[in-house]
Amino acid sequence: MPAPRKGRAPRQRPTQQSASPSASPSASPSASPAAAPRATPTDSSWPERIAAFAVCAPGIAPLVAAECASLGLPVGEVSAAGVSLALTLPELFRLNCWSRCASRVLVRLASFEARDFATLEKAAGRVPWARVVCAGASVRLRVTCRKSRLYHSDAVAERVARGIVGAIRGAQVVARARDDEADDEDAAGGAQLIVVRVDHDRCTISADSSGALLHRRGWRLAVAKAPLRETLAAGMLAAMRWDGAVPLVDPFCGSGTIGIEAALRARDMAPGLARRFALEEWPHASTAMYAAEREAARAKAKPHAGVAIVLRDRDAGAIAAARANAARAGVLDDLVIEQGALSDTDLAAIGSHGLLLTNPPYGQRVSGGADLRGLYARLGDVLRAGGRGWHLGMLVPPDRALAGQLRLTLEPVLRTANGGVPVELLATVPPRRPRGATG
């Protein structure tokens, strides 16, 4: 790693003390676990419960908390950035493997007060790095500083890097990591990500247990224009409370992300089965334990979705991408994927009840110069023609004038971001489903 620029903290009183940096979490899942006996840089053993944090996109945290609870995991504090939990190692793997909405899962290694660089460097040398960094391993650092005397992130990174290479034989700090919104491709190289946050003079050091961002399920190689992240598609399904009981239609399917995530959900297939996680490369990782977790996940999968999931797009390239991705995800037989115009979508022929869930084009104009207002008006017509049993969820920027072209009563059920663009999931208020109705 290139030598970072030196930073200088303000003068400090010589009596400054640092808190224990390696306090292990207690069984409490709260954001501030109680202190435990001090660990050492060479300590590779884990406490029974590990302080973990499921990171997610804005607005998604309540959905992540709900899915954690459905997995039987002890949910702690829910904040805008994610969900705190106290997990065993098997549960940590389970969360990575099963979470449909989280971006990554961090585990806390240390938290301590640091008002000067001498305190920071000394504390960084005592972090139990051997829990997550093997001899000779590569490490990436992501450092943020906020409202602290140590405000220079490069200088903080330099001190933490010294702690790592001093504790782990042959370890190399190879790069500074970008933020998750940039979809850090460097994770594919296998370097362990360490996240350092200095906030109000408290330094928290965490290790990423996921590796590549969790939206990388392992099946999407073919993409259409403006691809939707899998985690956001799963969040849309969760926010609409779609459980596979009624058909689902996406008339602007692109590379098929919404429909594929719907099929995985309907079949109870763990989204992370086809990939590996960073925690599997940690020192003394239990191959047998993780293999057992994978086998248990495979055993839960249903053979078929059992519900109609229809993907349509007028673009032939998008349809080809959707089919290729669905095949890799193992759900091609659960989907109807067809090329066609929006106006040819016949919801009533699919069922008397259902959900039209989509990420329609937005911006000034769609390809070919068609006016978006006309496109959205046709979307409203298609929904009304399907009958009262159909309702809509669509992910769009907060442009109510455009949404008004549908001539439907819509309300936001989720506000988040897509590729850095603020978006909201607008939904029609679904009518109460008659008892005994079928899709």
Side-chain angles (χ1 to χ4, degrees), residues 79-100:
S79 67
V83 180
S84 296
L85 307 103
L87 305 176
T88 63
L89 277 172
E91 288 172 339
L92 180 63
F93 179 90
R94 200 173 306 149
L95 177 55
N96 275 288
C97 189
W98 278 99
S99 179
R100 303 182 190 277

Side-chain angles (χ1 to χ4, degrees), residues 38-406:
R38 176 178 294 177
T40 67
T42 56
D43 182 7
S44 60
S45 63
W46 288 96
E48 181 181 356
R49 292 262 167 199
I50 305 164
F53 189 78
V55 182
C56 61
I60 302 293
L63 304 177
V64 173
E67 69 178 5
C68 288
S70 72
L71 292 170
L73 303 178
V75 177
E77 180 182 345
V78 180
S79 67
V83 180
S84 296
L85 307 103
L87 305 176
T88 63
L89 277 172
E91 288 172 339
L92 180 63
F93 179 90
R94 200 173 306 149
L95 177 55
N96 275 288
C97 189
W98 278 99
S99 179
R100 303 182 190 277
C101 301
S103 300
R104 68 167 79 250
V105 184
L106 303 177
V107 296
R108 180 179 298 181
L109 295 178
S111 182
F112 50 88
E113 191 175 77
R115 296 171 179 264
D116 57 69
F117 286 120
T119 300
L120 172 65
E121 188 163 353
K122 183 178 180 181
R126 294 199 299 263
V127 173
W129 300 113
R131 290 177 180 171
V132 298
V133 181
C134 294
S138 298
V139 176
R140 298 178 301 137
L141 290 177
R142 177 183 298 158
V143 180
T144 57
C145 302
R146 178 176 176 270
K147 296 185 178 180
S148 300
R149 298 192 184 191
L150 302 183
Y151 58 86
H152 200 302
S153 61
D154 284 350
V156 170
E158 180 184 23
R159 270 63 172 192
V160 174
R162 287 178 189 170
I164 296 171
V165 300
I168 306 299
R169 178 172 52 85
Q172 302 179 65
V173 179
V174 296
R176 291 285 298 278
R178 298 177 294 173
D179 61 30
D180 284 347
E181 192 57 48
D183 195 0
D184 207 334
E185 297 279 359
D186 295 334
Q192 173 64 53
L193 173 64
I194 300 294
V195 178
V196 182
R197 177 178 171 82
V198 185
D199 192 340
H200 290 83
D201 297 325
R202 175 152 289 273
C203 179
T204 301
I205 298 179
S206 302
D208 170 43
S209 70
S210 303
L213 287 168
L214 291 178
H215 79 86
R216 294 183 172 276
R217 316 291 206 211
W219 52 258
R220 188 175 68 175
L221 300 180
V223 298
K225 294 179 181 178
L228 185 71
R229 284 191 179 182
E230 292 82 344
T231 44
L232 181 49
M236 294 168 63
L237 290 160
M240 295 298 298
R241 300 183 181 181
W242 186 83
D243 58 2
V246 297
L248 182 139
V249 176
D250 180 0
F252 304 105
C253 72
S255 53
T257 307
I258 292 175
I260 293 171
E261 287 295 317
L264 293 173
R265 189 181 189 91
R267 291 183 58 183
D268 207 11
M269 296 173 67
L273 269 179
R275 54 163 287 169
R276 288 182 64 82
F277 305 104
L279 61 87
E280 296 180 80
E281 311 302 325
W282 289 351
H284 311 300
S286 175
T287 303
M289 178 176 67
Y290 298 145
E293 287 287 336
R294 277 198 170 89
E295 189 56 37
R298 288 191 185 96
K300 289 191 66 175
K302 300 172 185 175
H304 307 289
V307 66
I309 302 174
V310 180
L311 306 186
R312 294 174 56 85
D313 203 290
R314 71 176 187 176
D315 183 75
I319 292 299
R323 286 179 177 147
N325 288 333
R328 277 187 291 270
V331 296
L332 181 59
D333 292 341
D334 298 295
L335 306 175
V336 175
I337 305 176
E338 54 192 17
Q339 184 178 0
L342 169 64
S343 55
D344 294 332
T345 303
D346 187 353
L347 299 180
I350 297 170
S352 59
H353 293 74
L355 171 64
L356 193 160
L357 185 63
T358 191
N359 178 33
Y362 45 78
Q364 294 302 314
R365 309 182 79 80
V366 292
S367 59
D371 194 317
L372 277 179
R373 292 173 296 179
L375 185 72
Y376 278 57
R378 286 196 298 277
L379 180 59
D381 292 339
V382 166
L383 189 75
R384 279 185 290 274
R388 293 175 59 83
W390 281 86
H391 59 281
L392 168 72
M394 65 174 188
L395 190 73
V396 292
D399 182 352
R400 296 305 171 85
L402 188 58
Q405 300 298 317
L406 278 77

